[in-house]
Amino acid sequence: QEGKLVRLGKPQEEHLKKLEKDYELVLLDRIAAKLGESLSREKNELEAKKAQIESNLASFEGVSRAFQKRDALLSELDNLRLSLSESERRLRLAKADLDMLEESLRRTRERFIEAQSAGILKRFLKGLDPQKLQYEIDQTTISVDSKMRVARELDKQLREIRDSIHSKDDEANTAKKDADELLKHLGISASELENKKREFEQRKDTILARIAEIDRQLDELQRKVLSEARLVATTLTKTFVAKQFPDVPFDVLVLDEASMAPLPHLYWAASRCRESVTIIGDFLQLPPICIADDKPAAQRWLGRSIFDVLGINSVKAACIDPRIKLLDTQYRMAPEISAIPNRLFYQNKLKDHPS
């Protein structure tokens, strides 16, 4: 409870639950939280305030989006009204042209009828040529039909534009209504919106700065806990990647599963010791993981274990090496199972615990 025994890093889930239940103050973050209760409490309060500010900012953003949508719709409405005006002008011109063509067609037909009933002299004196008049009737009829199609198309366009104007107008009114309701809920006017957004953003920045400062202080608190601990249980990697790990050296390094430890990691941790290093492991088990098979430097530094460096690669060599202490009792396997690796690999040095 005094932070003398510390677990740095997140244990496996099952082990973590046991620690949280029975030994909560072995976990670094829990120790720091206990020692920095006032800081943690202030941070929690600030986080709650930040969440409320972010909620307000989201509402402000919702109002802004509603106004932006309304403005975009109003711009579209202006363009649609211009299109409506232009289409109405073109329709008026088309109808005027159509009236002129129909009047021309009516007069030509009258002259054609007159030509059919007139004699040769009258036709000559009045210039009534039935064939020419028939041609004019045909050409004018074609022009009338074409102009009528243009008028119908323009009329269709006008209906579509009017429908679009009606729809966009409804959308713009809805967007404005939504924005007004949000403003009413927030208790501000449209003219105050931008100032309020800046005000809340500044408040959020202030809170974030304070939270960052609290985190820094909590990190320093964790660093202090680690520097004052009598024993720190962690991984090799944590000794150089954990920002809370203290810069001061420690007295003793005890390394388990040493056969898999990458040499640079082990050397780094060992360099931090003032007194001794105890290496626990089995040179017959898995070596460090190194996938760069074709890189001699990688194999030299990452593919070898500390046992390779020390020249310990057989049971016989281990038994006569004064640096080695044999841990000869196994607790995991039934005797019938342990007998196989004991005979094949460990020269019958292993003993089975009664449990």
Side-chain angles (χ1 to χ4, degrees):
Q1 293 184 354
E2 297 176 353
K4 300 304 180 184
L5 173 61
V6 180
R7 175 65 165 90
L8 171 60
K10 186 177 180 180
Q12 293 183 353
E13 194 65 31
E14 183 178 346
H15 187 46
L16 176 62
K17 290 179 179 178
K18 181 172 179 59
L19 289 177
E20 290 177 333
K21 179 182 177 183
D22 301 327
Y23 306 102
E24 184 179 23
L25 293 183
V26 167
L27 300 170
L28 179 60
D29 56 342
R30 305 301 173 86
I31 299 171
K34 182 75 175 176
L35 296 175
E37 282 182 337
S38 61
L39 287 173
S40 297
R41 186 164 50 251
E42 182 186 356
K43 180 180 178 180
N44 290 336
E45 292 171 355
L46 290 171
E47 291 284 3
K49 290 180 180 178
K50 179 171 75 74
Q52 182 58 51
I53 288 174
E54 287 175 341
S55 176
N56 285 330
L57 285 171
S59 296
F60 294 154
E61 190 60 33
V63 176
S64 295
R65 284 196 300 269
F67 278 126
Q68 289 169 2
K69 182 178 179 181
R70 185 206 61 179
D71 293 342
L73 288 167
L74 291 176
S75 177
E76 290 181 40
L77 278 169
D78 289 341
N79 291 331
L80 284 170
R81 290 189 178 104
L82 288 173
S83 296
L84 178 66
S85 177
E86 176 61 19
S87 295
E88 288 174 338
R89 185 188 68 80
R90 290 173 60 196
L91 182 59
R92 286 194 300 271
L93 292 174
K95 286 183 175 180
D97 290 344
L98 184 59
D99 289 341
M100 290 175 60
L101 287 169
E102 287 177 338
E103 177 62 23
S104 175
L105 182 60
R106 183 188 63 79
R107 290 196 303 268
T108 304
R109 281 174 175 167
E110 289 178 351
R111 295 188 68 201
F112 178 73
I113 294 171
E114 183 181 358
Q116 283 183 320
S117 61
I120 295 175
L121 181 59
K122 185 177 180 180
R123 288 179 184 178
F124 176 76
L125 293 174
K126 299 189 71 172
L128 298 174
D129 184 347
Q131 290 184 344
K132 183 178 180 182
L133 290 171
Q134 182 61 59
Y135 178 79
E136 290 180 6
I137 290 172
D138 292 342
Q139 293 301 307
T140 306
T141 301
I142 293 172
S143 297
V144 168
D145 291 342
S146 176
K147 193 61 68 173
M148 288 181 68
R149 285 195 298 272
V150 170
R152 284 195 297 269
E153 184 63 31
L154 288 170
D155 192 56
K156 180 183 176 182
Q157 287 181 10
L158 283 171
R159 290 196 302 272
E160 291 175 350
I161 292 172
R162 290 189 182 104
D163 289 343
S164 294
I165 288 174
H166 181 72
S167 175
K168 296 295 182 184
D169 198 38
D170 286 345
E171 288 184 49
N173 289 333
T174 300
K176 184 178 185 305
K177 182 180 178 182
D178 291 343
D180 289 342
E181 287 179 355
L182 285 170
L183 288 173
K184 183 179 179 182
H185 175 72
L186 293 170
I188 60 174
S189 65
S191 60
E192 296 175 303
L193 179 61
E194 290 304 318
N195 287 336
K196 280 292 182 182
K197 282 176 65 176
R198 283 192 292 270
E199 176 190 334
F200 275 73
E201 285 168 354
Q202 289 172 357
R203 287 169 59 185
K204 180 182 176 181
D205 290 343
T206 301
I207 288 175
L208 288 174
R210 178 55 186 158
I211 288 175
E213 175 60 21
I214 290 173
D215 286 339
R216 188 191 66 76
Q217 292 181 32
L218 289 174
D219 285 344
E220 286 299 320
L221 196 56
Q222 291 187 0
R223 189 187 298 271
K224 183 174 183 294
V225 169
L226 287 173
S227 65
E228 295 177 355
R230 297 295 302 277
L231 187 149
V232 176
T234 188
T235 63
L236 278 176
T237 304
K238 283 288 185 182
T239 64
F240 60 85
V241 301
K243 60 183 179 180
Q244 307 96 327
F245 207 82
D247 295 326
V248 296
F250 40 90
D251 298 322
V252 175
L253 169 67
V254 179
L255 174 66
D256 194 15
E257 299 290 352
S259 70
M260 291 196 70
L263 288 175
H265 294 190
L266 192 154
Y267 289 160
W268 158 258
S271 71
R272 306 293 303 281
C273 292
R274 288 183 290 205
E275 296 182 9
S276 65
V277 176
T278 299
I279 295 173
I280 304 169
D282 186 346
F283 52 84
L284 294 178
Q285 293 192 18
L286 292 174
I289 298 173
C290 178
I291 60 175
D293 296 331
D294 58 341
K295 307 292 184 183
Q299 285 297 318
R300 174 178 172 80
W301 289 104
L302 301 176
R304 297 189 303 158
S305 75
I306 187 64
F307 296 110
D308 295 322
V309 175
L310 297 174
I312 302 170
N313 50 24
S314 70
V315 173
K316 182 178 179 180
C319 289
I320 62 175
D321 194 313
R323 298 168 297 183
I324 301 297
K325 173 63 179 176
L326 177 64
L327 302 179
D328 59 3
T329 304
Q330 69 87 20
Y331 298 81
R332 292 183 176 181
M333 298 175 284
E336 294 81 3
I337 297 175
S338 69
I340 298 173
N342 195 11
R343 184 178 69 255
L344 296 177
F345 301 105
Y346 295 104
Q347 300 181 9
N348 294 313
K349 299 292 184 180
L350 289 180
K351 300 175 184 177
D352 298 314
H353 191 270
S355 62

